[in-house]
């Protein structure tokens, strides 16, 4: 149920088996929203945009 253009990268599950963290990749937020809608009757989602560690270093380099 993953739209074309949305890529599953990896996932982790906490030790209590209560929460799953999935890393997805796309250049179009609408595809992520579509994927969430496909599962919304079964799962609640929290979405957090992230950057790579290298990008984070670049973002803070001027402050160092």
């Amino acid at each position: 149920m993953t739209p074309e253009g949305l890529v599953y990268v990896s996932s982790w599950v906490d030790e209590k088996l209560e929460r799953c963290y999935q890393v997805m990749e796309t250049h179009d937020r609408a595809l992520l929203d579509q994927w969430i809608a496909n599962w919304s009757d079964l799962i609640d989602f929290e979405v957090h945009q992230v950057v790579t560690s290298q990008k984070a270093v670049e973002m803070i380099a001027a402050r160092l």
Side-chain angles (χ1 to χ4, degrees):
M1 294 185 7
T2 305
E4 187 174 332
L6 179 64
V7 178
Y8 166 83
V9 176
S10 188
S11 64
W12 298 268
V13 178
D14 71 7
E15 292 179 348
K16 294 181 180 181
L17 304 177
E18 295 175 341
R19 185 167 289 184
C20 178
Y21 299 90
Q22 290 195 303
V23 178
M24 307 297 282
E25 184 176 9
T26 185
H27 295 288
D28 184 354
R29 171 60 194 255
L31 296 175
L32 184 61
D33 292 337
Q34 179 183 346
W35 178 72
I36 289 169
N38 290 343
W39 290 97
S40 64
D41 60 329
L42 299 173
I43 303 168
D44 293 322
F45 289 88
E46 290 182 26
V47 177
H48 301 274
Q49 185 172 339
V50 296
V51 296
T52 64
S53 297
Q54 179 61 39
K55 179 66 175 177
V57 168
E58 293 169 9
M59 293 168 65
I60 66 165
R63 296 186 229 162
L64 300 178

